[in-house]
Amino acid sequence: MATNSEVEMSAAEVDAFLSRHETGVLSLAREETPYAIPISYGFDTESRDAFLRLVSTPDSEKREFLGSSPQARIVVYDEDGDEYGSVVGVGTLRRVDLDELTPETIAQYGETRRPLFEIWADGKSDLDINLYRFVPDRLTGRTVIVDRDDE
């Protein structure tokens, strides 16, 4: 299987790609320890920020990482036949306090649809649901077309 072409996405193509999708992977790191989870998100093409609702339990590894101001990356990818696309965002994940919410930001969280990947083994009263904003320092994307005839 050979790569027939590999093309960097323009900023407009990255924005369109992130707007078309609603799921990805959030990776967090602190010191030497990584942590990654599937997420659902909403994307604002004007600010280029992603909006997430994250749910955690009191003793979860997720809550421990989220409380530590970790380094963050978001990866969104797609496959369509022989064409693969991916976008990687590197930036800051910050918790949004309820007193910071405006009608505009509330609308962005509405775009996240729902936490698609949350499974609650514990009672809902133990869940911590917080809003987060991923502010990217860098968004890059690429499209790869694979020539399967070379196998």
Side-chain angles (χ1 to χ4, degrees):
M1 180 166 51
T3 300
N4 196 22
S5 74
E6 186 171 332
V7 178
E8 293 291 322
M9 291 182 193
S10 68
E13 289 170 324
V14 166
D15 291 352
F17 187 90
L18 291 173
S19 295
R20 270 194 319 273
H21 294 83
E22 63 183 62
T23 60
V25 176
L26 171 66
S27 297
L28 305 173
R30 53 167 208 253
E31 298 177 21
E32 301 284 325
T33 307
Y35 180 72
I37 54 173
I39 54 147
S40 55
Y41 69 91
F43 181 72
D44 178 34
T45 55
E46 284 188 36
S47 68
R48 301 189 89 203
D49 294 347
F51 297 84
L52 301 85
R53 288 180 295 198
L54 299 177
V55 180
S56 61
T57 58
D59 298 325
S60 71
E61 191 175 17
K62 184 191 304 181
R63 187 176 293 183
E64 185 180 321
F65 266 86
L66 291 171
S68 69
S69 300
Q71 299 174 1
R73 290 181 187 242
I74 288 182
V75 178
V76 178
Y77 56 93
D78 190 19
E79 174 188 354
D80 186 11
D82 292 339
E83 186 172 321
Y84 300 82
S86 63
V87 170
V88 176
V90 178
T92 305
L93 183 68
R94 71 175 193 86
R95 189 175 163 277
V96 176
D97 292 324
L98 295 179
D99 59 348
E100 295 177 40
L101 291 177
T102 65
E104 293 78 23
T105 56
I106 290 170
Q108 289 299 333
Y109 289 104
E111 292 296 312
T112 62
R113 292 158 184 89
R114 60 190 171 100
L116 295 173
F117 291 106
E118 299 299 340
I119 298 173
W120 300 303
D122 297 322
K124 289 187 179 183
S125 62
D126 292 334
L127 298 179
D128 185 16
I129 302 171
N130 285 296
L131 304 177
Y132 288 85
R133 184 177 198 141
F134 176 76
V135 181
D137 297 323
R138 183 175 71 242
L139 287 172
T140 58
R142 86 175 29 151
T143 301
V144 177
I145 298 175
V146 176
D147 186 358
R148 295 184 189 281
D149 293 335
D150 288 345
E151 293 181 9

